[in-house]
Every structure is written in structure tokens, then in C-alpha cells.
Amino acid sequence: MEQKAVLEAEGISAGYGRMQIIWDCSLSVREKETVLLLGSNGSGKTTLMKGIMGFLPPMAGRVHFNGRDVTGMRVHEKARLGIVYSSESSIYTLMTVRENLVMSSVYRREGMEERMRRVFEVFPDLRKYEKQRASSLSGGQRKMLSVGRTMMASPSLLMLDEPSSGLSPLFTERIIDALRVLKDMGIPMLISEQNVEFTRIADSVLVLDHGRVVFSGSESEAERNDAIRSAYFGIG
């Protein structure tokens, strides 16, 4: 039986002011599915993610979540429905690590302590620094906190914008391991990245180039595509 779509974005065009960045982009994320939005810097990945979430009003297109049209909803209204958006700026630097985690449970209080225990299991560094302000963390630790906050929110859909940006290979591997835990929990995810290593946890891959979707298929199909192999896998 085919799993139903949790998120459907159809014909999304968006940009900044009069400057259009993406054109007619469509994607879907199904139950328990991890979709990777792959593209180089400047390809429009973040613009598409922001257009779907509502940080940018789409110039065209519709967004549906669990069959409901949420195109015109504000970001906080989508968050109440269970859509969690995580980016580099999604932590509160003046709060402690623990306060950041607690804040992420504002809509999902039940089971908060158990989720926090799970976060500390995945990211021991966060337990070590839980009473320190987030501003004192390294770049890699801030990324861990950002992902930890998404775990605390118990999302119905998780959207992550370039979780490995600026990270060393070691920290990137730890982020991938953490996302694999969320995947095993059955949380549907939409991840934008330029790091091809994230295909290891993806069920489906979309490639964005100059603001347009130029490929959509399974992870194995992406690896067999000559243009993608050359541009992202260094093969060919």
C-alpha cells in the first residue's frame, strides 16, 4: 500500500522582492520518507525551503500538509501543526543549552524529559554543556543543538536547511548519525544539502540547479545518473 503524502509542494516560485530565485518547483514527502534536496551554493535550495515554510510568500504554487492547504499560513501556525524548520539560526544564543531544548517542546510537553534523555544520548556534548549559554558552543555543537531542538519538538515533518554547512567531516558524520535516529523513529524529513554524503539516509533525491528541479528519483537512480555522478559523486 502506497504511503500517503505528508507534504506536497506544487509549482512553487519564490524570490526576494522582485528578484525571482526559483521557478515551478514541485516535491512531495511521504510518511516515514526522507527526501534530500541536493544542490550547489546558489541553486535556490534555501529559497525553496523558506517558500514552503512561509518565511517567503510564494509568487506562485500551493503547499499542502496532510491534505490541508497551508500555503497562506504563517510560520508559527505551521509549527503548531507539527512542521519543524531547522537552520543555522534556529537556536537562542542567550539561553542555556537546556533552555533551548525546553523551548522546543512548547507545543509538545508530554514526554519532554524522555526526549531530552534521547537528545543527550545522541549528543553527549549537549549534556556536558547543558547549563552553559548556547553562545559559548562551537559551530559543530550549535548544529547539534539545532538538531536536538528538532528532536525535542517531536515533529510531524522535519525540514532541515543545510545541516552540515561549515562542519568538519567528523561533525557532519555525527549529524548524519543523529538524523538516522530520527529516520528510524519514522519522522518524515526534507533535507536541503550540497553534501552528497546525505544520500546515505535519503529515500528520494531531488536536484536543484539555477532555481529549477532538474532531477527527481530514488537515491540509487541519482547515483546512476551521469550528470549527477559527475557533479556530486566525482564519478565520470
Side-chain angles (χ1 to χ4, degrees), residues 7 9 12 27 47-54 63 78 159 190:
L7 174 72
I12 302 296
L27 60 84
T47 302
L48 178 54
M49 296 282 279
K50 287 184 174 180
I52 291 172
M53 189 63 192
V63 178
K78 291 177 181 176
M159 299 176 61
L190 174 61

Side-chain angles (χ1 to χ4, degrees), residues 109-226:
R109 290 292 185 182
E110 186 177 352
M112 182 182 69
E113 289 301 324
E114 175 59 26
R115 293 197 299 277
M116 189 172 296
R117 182 191 64 78
R118 189 69 178 269
V119 170
F120 288 151
E121 282 182 357
V122 175
F123 297 123
D125 282 7
L126 297 185
R127 181 188 295 277
K128 182 178 179 181
Y129 299 114
E130 67 173 300
K131 295 181 180 179
Q132 294 188 21
R133 284 188 176 183
S135 58
S136 69
L137 300 179
S138 70
Q141 290 165 342
R142 290 188 185 197
K143 290 284 188 177
M144 292 178 187
L145 179 56
S146 179
V147 175
R149 280 171 51 82
T150 67
M151 295 172 69
M152 291 297 295
S154 189
S156 300
L157 171 69
L158 177 55
M159 299 176 61
L160 296 113
D161 189 20
E162 300 199 273
S164 77
S165 175
L167 296 188
S168 68
L170 176 62
F171 274 115
T172 296
E173 195 63 33
R174 294 178 71 176
I175 294 296
I176 290 174
D177 288 343
L179 296 182
R180 188 175 285 112
V181 170
L182 298 182
K183 180 180 177 68
D184 291 343
M185 293 168 62
I187 296 173
M189 293 186 281
L190 174 61
I191 305 170
S192 77
E193 260 296 339
Q194 59 179 321
N195 189 333
V196 75
E197 291 297 322
F198 282 77
T199 58
R200 289 157 39 198
I201 58 171
D203 300 300
S204 301
V205 178
L206 286 87
V207 177
L208 201 63
D209 185 41
H210 292 91
R212 298 182 187 275
V213 176
V214 296
F215 172 86
S216 177
S218 67
E219 181 271 338
S220 60
E221 289 171 333
E223 288 195 23
R224 293 195 300 269
N225 183 283
D226 290 341

